[in-house]
Amino acid sequence: MKNPHKALIALGSNLGDSEGIIQQAFQALECLTQGAISRSSLWKTEPVDCPEGSPCFVNAAMSFEVSTDTRPEDFLRKLLAIESDLGRERSVVINEPRVIDIDLICLGSIRMDSPFLTLPHPRAHTRPFVLAPLAEIEPDFSFPGFHATATELLKDLPSEEGCVPYTKTQP
């Protein structure tokens, strides 16, 4: 691949067979690259800023190379299409339970703020459910505009509580 740069993706699911859905999302995302791919393990996380009674999430992260010719808005549309293909239906309820959530965290060193997309993701650096899986696969990654690595940001959070490695025996 000519002039690649890295895409960092966060995934989450708290409806249906979350583990299986995340695996399906991984497979669909692999079609977006011909370069190296890194996948985190799965993490169980408590819902954050979700409606009361929302189930726990299964979260993960993925990184892979894309061409520097990749337009961020077009790339995001591909992620949204994968969400839709996997059964995501959007409504006006913010942070409601969902079959799949695929967030573009970073695309190379691109920084942008538009009505459609903000890069890097504006809250990723404060969320253990993004940072824990990200630090697993890209421990030395620094968000554009930040000096601290994903690992350092995770350690600096007030608490990593509510974000633990996922095992099948968990409800």
Side-chain angles (χ1 to χ4, degrees):
M1 182 181 304
K2 189 172 111 179
N3 298 322
H5 62 182
K6 195 166 285 191
L8 297 175
I9 311 294
L11 303 97
S13 172
N14 70 340
L15 284 180
D17 174 15
S18 294
E19 180 182 358
I21 292 164
I22 296 286
Q23 295 303 329
Q24 289 176 45
F26 277 152
Q27 290 174 355
L29 290 165
E30 286 177 5
C31 295
L32 301 180
T33 184
Q34 296 173 340
I37 298 169
S38 294
R39 295 177 172 192
S40 75
S41 58
L42 301 179
W43 293 76
K44 178 185 174 198
T45 60
E46 297 291 328
V48 175
D49 298 328
C50 294
E52 190 173 331
S54 293
C56 288
F57 278 86
V58 175
N59 289 99
M62 187 173 190
S63 68
F64 52 86
E65 295 175 344
V66 297
S67 168
T68 53
D69 296 339
T70 302
R71 294 189 61 236
E73 297 89 347
D74 294 338
F75 191 71
L76 179 60
R77 284 184 188 90
K78 291 177 183 180
L79 301 182
L80 296 174
I82 292 170
E83 283 185 345
S84 180
D85 290 347
L86 292 173
R88 172 84 186 256
E89 294 179 11
R90 294 184 177 270
S91 77
V92 295
V93 178
I94 296 175
N95 296 330
E96 70 182 342
R98 48 210 175 266
V99 171
I100 187 69
D101 187 29
I102 302 174
D103 288 333
L104 178 57
I105 302 302
C106 287
L107 189 61
S109 60
I110 295 172
R111 295 175 77 175
M112 66 181 292
D113 190 4
S114 77
F116 184 62
L117 177 62
T118 301
L119 289 176
H121 187 287
R123 294 171 303 282
H125 67 283
T126 66
R127 295 183 162 172
F129 60 87
V130 172
L131 290 173
L134 181 60
E136 179 186 337
I137 60 171
E138 298 285 344
D140 298 325
F141 170 78
S142 294
F143 291 93
F146 289 80
H147 295 293
T149 65
T151 302
E152 292 166 340
L153 289 168
L154 181 62
K155 287 180 183 174
D156 288 344
L157 291 179
S159 172
E160 293 175 39
E161 194 173 303
C163 183
V164 297
Y166 176 84
T167 62
K168 281 186 178 248
T169 59
Q170 295 171 331

